[in-house]
Amino acid sequence: MQRSARVLGVSLLCTVVLLVSLAPLMSGFSGGIGGQRVANGCTCHGEGGADPSVSPLLLGVPQTYEAGMSYNLTVQIQGGPVPGGEHQGGFNLDASDGALLTRDDTTQRQEGQLTHTTAGNGQRTWQVAWMAPKEEDHIVTFRLLVNSVDGDFAPSSTDSWNRATFTSRGPGAGGIPQPQGGTHTPLLQRWFPLPLVVVLSLVLAVLIVLLLLPPAAVRGPLGRFLLHWLTTTNHKDIGVLYFVTSLLMYLVGGALAMVMRGQLAGPSGDLVSPQLYNQLVTMHGAIMALFFLSPLGFAFANYLVPLQIGARDLAFPRINALSYWLYLLGALVAASGFFVGGAADVGWTFYAPLTNATYSPGLGVDLAGIGLFLLFLSVTISTINFLVTILRLRAPTMGLWQVPMFTWSVLMTVLIMLIIFPALGGALLLLVSDRHFGTHFFDSALNGALLWDHLFWFFGHPEVYVLLLPSLGTTAEILQAFSRRPLYGRRYIMGAMVVGVVLSVIVWGHHMFTTGIDQRFLEVQVVLTESISIPFAVIVLCYILTLHGGKLRLRTPALWALGSLALFTIGGITGVFLASQALDTHLRGSYYVVAHFHYTLVGSTTFALIGGIYYWFPKMSGRMLSERLGRWHFGISFLSFNLNFLPLFELTDMPRRIATYDVARWVPYNQVATVGAIIFGVAQLLLIVNLLQSMRRGAPAGKDPWRGPSLEWTLSSPPPHDPSEQPPVVVAAPATQAVTTGSSSDPAVGTAKG
Amino acid sequence: MDPLIPLRLPVTGLHGPVYEQLFALYLGIGIVAALLVFSLMAYLIHRYRAAGPSDVDPPDAPRAGAAPIERGDCRVPLVLALLVTLVLFSVSLGTFDTIALYHDEPNDPDALRIDVVAYRYGFSYTYPDGSVVVDNLTVPVDRTVVLKITSTDVFHNFAVPELRLKADAIPGHTTMLWFKGDSPGTHRIQCMELCGTDHGAMVGSLRILSAPEYDQWVARGG
Ligand SMILES: [Cu+2]
Ligand SMILES: [Cu+2]
């Protein structure tokens, strides 16, 4: 019975992995029209891959044509080799309907298509005409190929050609538009994923052998080690897996950031190409937000929530393991783009229609999309797991309002996840369907760009709170332990979090202030977005008031938690600026926004979670971390973080996501930021050193090194792997007595047996 | 460093000063709020620090496994919430005036209406007489200019930072932006939404000419 379940599970996993690794191949099999008659833009030259630096332009194409009207169009080449000399470029233009006409002797008709003549060799702009079809209900596709030539026409000179499609719709064209020109993936690129498939298959083979063998047959320390970590369903083990993986992601995402800041240290940095820079921008964002921050929070959640509420494990341990493996697979698939011809380079916001098959023909977007979809699956099952665990598996005497703050914050987090991740999953499915099966969900003619905006930000904005809430819970735990006082206004903080959750899912419109959509919707969004700072201001101020009347001990976790509150204050206040549609009209898309969200996501969230590492690592490993290294780590990180991001608030005119710039004013700010970033990056290695050193020779932590507030500190460090006895149970203290008398009588701790 | 490089972004046009006023209001209130929070934090940290490792805990200090103790006056969070709400909604009054200035298309019969089409990687401008110019937008001073902005390919953004103007250029959708130059000069136009490889180079300029110069420019055929 158990064995057949395992076989079933393994074969399911194999199928998923195989499908995932094969999916990118589909991008090679385009079923589009056009593009087959002419191999490239100019038959005078050889063949080669499309050059993305060349942009074919067709100006004057009406969005809606008038039947029978004639339109003057301009063909133009942007980019490519620096022009000069006799031979500068060529083009080939095809219209699926109507008639293309020449206007002078620089162009000629060939089999209904238009191309340049020898006389038109020396230019990069051509005037042509197009007669619209007589019918009102057609959709016309223009396919334009251009070839940018470097001028000397040497036989050795390579072609720089590219293609683009444009559409014009008749006034009566309704229903489903005809498919636009399909993508053309060079043959070689189709088989690029092969190495990935091979590696994944090898991993699978190992997995299958390990999992199908009877456990007794696995021998040797390595075999046992692998078998244990691959098959474990224990919440503490899964927590450790999340912990290690997310820290690795922190290093990877950080390394990408270092390259980016290095590139921006001077105006015309040449560390990386613009193409690669866009990949770095995209993957840095995706990795840090989705594969580092959230999983680090969930590393703690996995490890601690059952301990904090006195449960033996999560409600569904196997689903918990599946959730981790889906997350790991998602991260690997998303990042694998770097090795198969380029990772996604469209920004982690994946704005349509830049992501469609025409503008992003490469595999990067597919791989990132599949990676995020796997993450969506992982998050969805994890959400159910935590909801059931927190709502149903609490120790008998622990009411819902009595759960520790960290557990409460996880409950709030999974509630948001439950609401928003389906939007992401659905949007990704539609995107993949557009890219590979010719659907038109995000077709510009059908306002697809705005549809993506709504779907993405319905997920994307609340996602910020998904990242933030576990860190707020962590801060609450740390503050109680180190200020030696109960949380100030605990119930109000819990309530404020609920309000924050509700508001967070109805304010996505502030990411669309400049889209020109209905102003009434946007003005409601202004008010709602401003309102969301109210609950969070209350939370921060209550946290600070917690210190009142306490005996604050400034150990490393407390430093990180207080630092996080200070930086959250700056991040929150600068966020109020962005909630004003008027101010956002200038600030949107600039480095001001970059600075703001790094204050919330790094300054606030990451700092608090690193505080969580210093706070809970002794519980997880049984050994203390070095206080001295931890203080240095905090001091350097705090200063260099501000050095990095404070100057960027001034760059309200510098666009995000650009690899080079030519404005003198931006240089000093960027230089300071780069210095700060590099110091910050190096300082993070202190954490790794500290963790490794502590595991080898850290001082024993004992049960309760910080005299922490919640149940996990009643257990040994590390807690017993399999809780053999009944878990400890909170005996509720009468609230009135505890608040008013402040007597030294212990609110009792006991076990269910006792 | 070269003293000629301005460290602040210049501001001009009809919207620029209004925007800056609103920004200053937000900044002033923001700095006061931040200073209040920071000083409260600094005071409490300083005042309630433990004297040493052996300092005696407060009587209600948290203990592992104990039920959480409710503490604090319920009026404090409520008053805080009320206070924050008041501050927010007083600043948002200014916001709504400025939003109206940006958003309401001026009803000026004399306005110069220009269609802007963003493409990878530039902008094309179609004037009322049908002439098309790429990259550089030329307009006369002291005249209302209304831009209708769209895109032929991907999501772009049309921004003139020195005039504090910005609107998305979305394929299949048109956005409106209007402005009035108050002095002749040249200002940077740039795309502020990632649109592909050369997004960083998607730059143009806005030339604001005096009326006679503009007429000459038109006479020359743009
Ligand atoms: Cu948001
Ligand atoms: Cu752009």
Side-chain angles (χ1 to χ4, degrees):
Chain A
M1 162 66 204
Q2 228 211 333
R3 193 176 160 82
S4 66
R6 215 191 305 156
V7 174
L8 192 71
V10 169
S11 26
L12 206 72
L13 193 65
C14 296
T15 323
V16 169
V17 173
L18 263 178
L19 281 179
V20 163
S21 51
L22 284 172
L25 295 178
M26 287 191 285
S27 72
F29 306 130
S30 70
I33 53 157
Q36 306 307 324
R37 272 189 283 176
V38 190
N40 66 25
C42 177
T43 42
C44 339
H45 304 276
E47 294 227 18
D51 182 352
S53 71
V54 177
S55 310
L57 281 183
L58 188 60
L59 302 176
V61 176
Q63 232 169 50
T64 313
Y65 66 77
E66 249 184 275
M69 265 284 282
S70 154
Y71 292 90
N72 288 341
L73 311 181
T74 307
V75 176
Q76 211 178 54
I77 306 178
Q78 295 263 325
V82 180
E86 256 197 80
H87 299 269
Q88 295 200 354
F91 76 98
N92 179 291
L93 176 65
D94 186 23
S96 65
D97 209 338
L100 286 167
L101 308 163
T102 61
R103 281 171 67 195
D104 51 38
D105 66 350
T106 60
T107 56
Q108 59 182 329
R109 273 169 66 95
Q110 274 182 359
E111 302 168 8
Q113 308 178 351
L114 276 187
T115 183
H116 62 284
T117 59
T118 332
N121 246 340
Q123 52 198 53
R124 290 162 75 80
T125 308
W126 298 267
Q127 305 296 335
V128 301
W130 172 67
M131 183 93 80
K134 298 266 184 311
E135 297 79 3
E136 299 240 298
D137 56 350
H138 284 197
I139 297 165
V140 184
T141 309
F142 297 88
R143 184 197 33 76
L144 175 63
L145 296 148
V146 301
N147 193 2
S148 173
V149 187
D150 58 8
D152 61 18
F153 196 45
S156 61
S157 60
T158 49
D159 277 349
S160 306
W161 68 274
N162 205 348
R163 74 177 67 222
T165 52
F166 306 86
T167 39
S168 183
R169 302 158 66 86
I176 307 288
Q178 296 157 19
Q180 297 196 356
T183 58
H184 165 82
T185 313
L187 190 67
L188 191 61
Q189 206 178 319
R190 277 187 213 181
W191 296 107
F192 251 132
L194 217 56
L196 186 71
V197 176
V198 171
V199 170
L200 282 175
S201 316
L202 279 178
V203 171
L204 263 184
V206 174
L207 274 175
I208 292 166
V209 170
L210 268 173
L211 295 181
L212 293 187
L213 277 177
V218 182
R219 293 219 184 82
L222 184 67
R224 292 241 149 247
F225 177 84
L226 282 177
L227 187 71
H228 171 71
W229 287 106
L230 288 172
T231 58
T232 182
T233 60
N234 183 293
H235 72 99
K236 299 182 204 81
D237 291 341
I238 306 280
V240 170
L241 287 172
Y242 267 109
F243 183 69
V244 173
T245 315
S246 62
L247 279 186
L248 286 176
M249 289 294 155
Y250 186 39
L251 296 182
V252 172
L256 302 185
M258 294 297 106
V259 179
M260 280 152 59
R261 277 313 328 167
Q263 166 80 8
L264 293 174
S268 42
D270 55 0
L271 223 52
V272 292
S273 66
Q275 286 98 325
L276 185 54
Y277 185 87
N278 285 349
Q279 296 172 30
L280 297 178
V281 160
T282 307
M283 295 314 291
H284 168 75
I287 288 176
M288 286 307 208
L290 301 170
F291 295 112
F292 156 60
L293 270 180
S294 207
L296 182 56
F298 273 83
F300 295 142
N302 264 284
Y303 203 100
L304 294 159
V305 164
L307 303 184
Q308 286 197 328
I309 62 173
R312 298 175 66 91
D313 202 324
L314 285 173
F316 311 109
R318 274 166 174 269
I319 279 185
N320 194 27
L322 178 61
S323 166
Y324 167 77
W325 291 104
L326 283 171
Y327 148 68
L328 179 66
L329 194 64
L332 293 178
V333 170
S336 65
F338 279 120
F339 309 105
V340 292
D345 56 357
V346 292
W348 85 283
T349 47
F350 277 77
Y351 265 25
L354 183 59
T355 46
N356 71 17
T358 310
Y359 299 113
S360 295
L363 295 170
V365 172
D366 292 305
L367 291 171
I370 293 165
L372 293 191
F373 193 78
L374 289 169
L375 183 74
F376 151 72
L377 295 178
S378 155
V379 162
T380 305
I381 55 179
S382 181
T383 297
I384 302 301
N385 211 347
F386 278 97
L387 271 178
V388 174
T389 305
I390 297 174
L391 294 180
R392 305 297 302 163
L393 296 187
R394 292 191 313 280
T397 55
M398 185 185 276
L400 192 56
W401 290 91
Q402 288 178 318
V403 297
M405 283 309 291
F406 179 72
T407 296
W408 183 258
S409 72
V410 171
L411 180 63
M412 296 296 108
T413 308
V414 296
L415 277 178
I416 302 185
M417 284 175 152
L418 190 66
I419 300 169
I420 63 168
F421 266 83
L424 174 72
L428 289 169
L429 280 183
L430 301 187
L431 174 65
V432 171
S433 161
D434 266 13
R435 285 173 62 81
H436 297 296
F437 310 125
T439 54
H440 292 266
F441 294 108
F442 301 117
D443 189 329
S444 299
L446 306 169
N447 245 330
L450 287 173
L451 173 62
W452 177 268
D453 243 20
H454 279 293
L455 282 175
F456 181 82
W457 287 118
F458 181 78
F459 154 77
H461 180 76
E463 173 65 14
V464 176
Y465 294 92
V466 166
L467 306 177
L468 178 71
L469 281 165
S471 79
L472 283 178
T474 306
T475 307
E477 300 285 352
I478 296 176
L479 285 177
Q480 295 177 74
F482 292 90
S483 73
R484 311 303 307 140
R485 289 224 63 188
L487 210 54
Y488 191 95
R490 176 190 151 91
R491 292 261 165 117
Y492 290 88
I493 294 177
M494 295 168 100
M497 283 188 183
V498 177
V499 176
V501 166
V502 173
L503 283 175
S504 79
V505 294
I506 51 173
V507 297
W508 76 93
H510 62 240
H511 293 274
M512 303 175 69
F513 279 156
T514 52
T515 53
I517 56 175
D518 196 319
Q519 190 59 20
R520 287 164 300 183
F521 169 70
L522 294 180
E523 282 172 13
V524 169
Q525 291 291 317
V526 171
V527 177
L528 288 175
T529 307
E530 278 174 347
S531 313
I532 202 167
S533 26
I534 300 168
F536 287 96
V538 169
I539 291 174
V540 167
L541 287 163
C542 283
Y543 276 12
I544 294 175
L545 287 177
T546 300
L547 302 178
H548 188 271
K551 293 282 183 194
L552 177 64
R553 283 146 216 266
L554 283 179
R555 307 291 296 273
T556 310
L559 289 177
W560 285 95
L562 291 170
S564 145
L565 281 184
L567 298 177
F568 186 41
T569 305
I570 300 182
I573 289 174
T574 52
V576 175
F577 288 55
L578 293 169
S580 156
Q581 192 192 1
L583 295 182
D584 192 60
T585 301
H586 174 56
L587 299 175
R588 177 169 176 72
S590 76
Y591 262 84
Y592 178 95
V593 177
V594 173
H596 155 70
F597 71 70
H598 279 86
Y599 265 89
T600 57
L601 294 185
V602 184
S604 164
T605 307
T606 309
F607 271 53
L609 290 179
I610 290 180
I613 296 179
Y614 283 101
Y615 181 64
W616 278 312
F617 185 79
K619 171 56 58 189
M620 294 161 74
S621 73
R623 288 170 184 278
M624 301 299 286
L625 287 162
S626 155
E627 189 74 9
R628 202 164 59 96
L629 273 179
R631 282 165 181 278
W632 276 106
H633 180 206
F634 170 74
I636 302 176
S637 297
F638 189 81
L639 292 178
S640 60
F641 171 80
N642 283 300
L643 191 66
N644 184 350
F645 289 104
L646 208 53
L648 297 182
F649 281 118
E650 178 57 30
L651 292 182
T652 56
D653 55 332
M654 177 167 168
R656 299 164 62 176
R657 299 164 167 173
I658 59 171
T660 55
Y661 49 94
D662 58 356
V663 177
R665 196 177 82 81
W666 300 347
V667 179
Y669 294 103
N670 273 290
Q671 283 170 338
V672 174
T674 298
V675 172
I678 289 170
I679 301 175
F680 186 84
V682 173
Q684 302 317 300
L685 299 179
L686 290 178
L687 173 64
I688 307 298
V689 171
N690 205 345
L691 290 173
L692 295 176
Q693 193 178 297
S694 155
M695 287 194 310
R696 292 230 332 269
R697 49 189 165 88
K703 265 188 176 179
D704 190 4
W706 315 117
R707 291 179 295 149
S710 40
L711 270 182
E712 74 266 30
W713 303 107
T714 60
L715 303 165
S716 63
S717 302
H721 189 268
D722 301 298
S724 48
E725 57 190 272
Q726 283 285 357
V729 167
V730 194
V731 177
T736 46
Q737 179 211 338
V739 175
T740 51
T741 65
S743 73
S744 59
S745 69
D746 265 10
V749 181
T751 63
K753 277 180 187 167
Chain B
M1 202 178 50
D2 190 344
L4 291 177
I5 300 175
L7 279 181
R8 301 300 319 271
L9 177 66
V11 55
T12 179
L14 182 90
H15 296 77
V18 180
Y19 169 92
E20 282 300 313
Q21 234 177 352
L22 185 67
F23 190 89
L25 174 71
Y26 272 71
L27 190 64
I29 293 174
I31 287 178
V32 170
L35 285 181
L36 282 176
V37 173
F38 291 155
S39 15
L40 178 67
M41 234 171 124
Y43 167 74
L44 290 176
I45 289 174
H46 177 75
R47 171 71 182 72
Y48 294 105
R49 241 187 111 167
S54 54
D55 201 350
V56 194
D57 274 354
D60 58 357
R63 260 153 241 268
I69 296 170
E70 298 303 330
R71 164 199 170 198
D73 189 332
C74 72
R75 280 167 301 185
V76 174
L78 293 179
V79 168
L80 281 175
L82 205 70
L83 211 73
V84 179
T85 313
L86 276 178
V87 171
L88 282 174
F89 288 101
S90 60
V91 293
S92 67
L93 289 183
T95 277
F96 277 101
D97 286 346
T98 317
I99 290 175
L101 175 73
Y102 273 103
H103 182 261
D104 295 348
E105 188 174 333
N107 193 9
D108 183 349
D110 194 34
L112 177 59
R113 290 169 185 278
I114 299 174
D115 290 331
V116 183
V117 179
Y119 54 85
R120 304 211 295 173
Y121 298 93
F123 299 98
S124 81
Y125 306 97
T126 308
Y127 283 73
D129 64 357
S131 59
V132 180
V133 180
V134 293
D135 293 342
N136 301 322
L137 173 62
T138 307
V139 299
V141 76
D142 286 333
R143 186 164 155 200
T144 305
V145 181
V146 179
L147 304 178
K148 294 278 156 134
I149 303 166
T150 187
S151 161
T152 58
D153 41 38
V154 302
F155 207 121
H156 297 275
N157 179 290
F158 176 89
V160 197
E162 290 177 6
L163 277 77
R164 307 292 188 267
L165 297 173
K166 184 171 291 164
D168 290 324
I170 306 169
H173 178 76
T174 306
T175 50
M176 189 279 300
L177 204 59
W178 77 275
F179 66 96
K180 203 183 228 181
D182 57 1
S183 59
T186 305
H187 309 283
R188 187 182 171 89
I189 293 176
Q190 64 199 15
C191 173
M192 293 190 74
E193 184 63 61
L194 179 62
C195 54
T197 309
D198 287 339
H199 161 56
M202 190 162 161
V203 174
S205 63
L206 166 66
R207 274 198 309 166
I208 302 177
L209 299 181
S210 66
E213 276 179 321
Y214 179 74
D215 292 337
Q216 267 174 30
W217 179 80
V218 171
R220 277 206 314 271

